[in-house]
Amino acid sequence: MRARPAGRSAHPVLPPVLRGWFGAVVGLAALVVVALGGLYAGDGEPSGVDRWIVPPTADSVRPPWRDVALALDFLGEPLGSVMLVLVVVTGCLALKRPRAAVLTVAGAGVSVGVATLLKHLVGRTIHGDANLSYPSGHTAFATALALAVAFLAAGRPGLGRAAGMALVLGAALVAGAAMGWAQVALGAHYPTDVLGGWCTALAVVPTTGWLLDRTADRGPGGREESRPRG
């Protein structure tokens, strides 16, 4: 009887059925991030698109919606983000998906790190030179976390490519839109900053997942090392 490779039971964080499609998504998202960064580099005023969507002021919303925006904003702050990550990681480990737990931490961390680096490279500001704004790190974090959870759900057996893609992109859109709305409503970011943060996560998280799968499969007990030698 043919032995089952030890790594075959490991669940990839990036569902194989979605990998081809997400190659295109990553490329398009990265292109948007670079294009917007080049377009708004060094600016300190909202663009025409930003003004058309909503004037960026510190009081765009009133209670009770302002309270909702503040609550969402807290979830993107250090304490709130750590709490969310711990909840998701605990869930992944309870489901025996250690790779998904690693992607949750790495995807969110790298997305925020890339967003922070881009802020200093692009130099776009809002409400003064001290407030770097492009891209939105809060939006990148929320989108990255949603992508990690959605990839876990999309890996369920029997879920087709179209349904899986709709699930992942839908989750990313909802999380990014919710956090992005809060950032714009509180006057912390321009709408185009939010789009840049959303696309940053769309470019970073699938790439991180692919690299994680490749590394795990090549490591001890992974698929590539567990092939019988003859």
Side-chain angles (χ1 to χ4, degrees):
M1 178 180 291
R2 187 175 179 179
R4 183 181 182 182
R8 187 67 57 83
S9 61
H11 297 279
V13 291
L14 189 59
V17 71
L18 300 183
R19 288 178 184 174
W21 285 30
F22 264 96
V25 171
V26 166
L28 180 59
L31 181 62
V32 172
V33 171
V34 172
L36 290 178
L39 188 61
Y40 300 125
D43 283 355
E45 298 291 334
S47 67
V49 173
D50 296 317
R51 293 184 186 277
W52 177 74
I53 296 174
V54 59
T57 64
D59 58 352
S60 297
V61 292
R62 303 285 185 179
W65 288 110
R66 183 171 178 80
D67 297 328
V68 175
L70 288 170
L72 288 170
D73 179 72
F74 169 75
L75 295 177
E77 294 293 321
L79 178 58
S81 61
V82 168
M83 290 170 54
L84 277 180
V85 168
L86 285 176
V87 169
V88 176
V89 167
T90 301
C92 292
L93 295 179
L95 293 172
K96 303 187 187 316
R97 298 293 185 90
R99 286 196 200 181
V102 175
L103 178 64
T104 299
V105 176
V110 175
S111 294
V112 173
V114 170
T116 302
L117 176 62
L118 287 172
K119 282 182 179 181
H120 291 279
L121 291 176
V122 174
R124 190 186 197 190
T125 59
I126 185 170
H127 307 313
D129 293 341
N131 302 311
L132 297 172
S133 67
Y134 180 88
S136 167
H138 279 62
T139 306
F141 167 76
T143 305
L145 199 64
L147 283 170
V149 174
F151 279 137
L152 177 61
R156 292 168 45 198
L159 193 65
R161 177 180 297 178
M165 197 72 176
L167 173 63
V168 172
L169 291 181
L173 181 59
V174 170
M179 183 62 80
W181 167 80
Q183 297 308 299
V184 174
L186 295 173
H189 286 283
Y190 305 115
T192 44
D193 296 334
V194 168
L195 177 58
W198 188 66
C199 288
T200 297
L202 280 176
V204 167
V205 176
T207 303
T208 304
W210 179 81
L211 290 173
L212 176 60
D213 284 336
R214 292 280 293 178
T215 301
D217 289 343
R218 288 177 179 273
R223 282 191 291 258
E224 296 193 19
E225 287 205 357
S226 60
R227 291 172 182 166
R229 298 178 183 272

